Amino acid sequence: MLWIGGQITTLAIIEGVFLAALANLLVPLLVTSYMLRGRVVVAPPSPEPNAHRAASEFDRNLMFFLGIGCLVAVPVFKT
């Protein structure tokens, strides 16, 4: 309703949150780059190079139906 009435606009929202978003990007980035300065981070070797464990059929179906259930729950809870 606010969009239709012209009370808020996309540009006003972007202008209002741009500096906060920029700060939320730069502060953790600067802290992380300072803490990891000069270090080389290497992933530990896996115990078995070809040890890929495929998800079982139950796991795949569970995640699928939980995802569908969450999507359906949005309008249900909205009403």
Side-chain angles (χ1 to χ4, degrees):
M1 296 303 292
L2 294 174
W3 294 101
I4 295 170
Q7 295 176 4
I8 60 173
T9 63
T10 306
L11 187 58
I13 292 173
I14 291 172
E15 288 174 350
V17 300
F18 182 75
L19 290 178
L22 192 61
N24 282 324
L25 168 77
L26 291 178
V27 170
L29 181 65
L30 291 173
V31 169
T32 304
S33 65
Y34 178 76
M35 298 293 280
L36 295 177
R37 168 185 68 199
R39 296 184 193 170
V40 177
V41 179
V42 179
S46 64
E48 298 174 19
N50 294 326
H52 298 334
R53 185 178 154 263
S56 69
E57 186 175 349
F58 173 76
D59 293 337
R60 290 187 300 237
N61 288 334
L62 177 67
M63 292 307 297
F64 176 74
F65 287 114
L66 281 175
I68 295 295
C70 288
L71 290 173
V72 170
V74 171
V76 170
F77 290 138
K78 177 79 171 139
T79 58

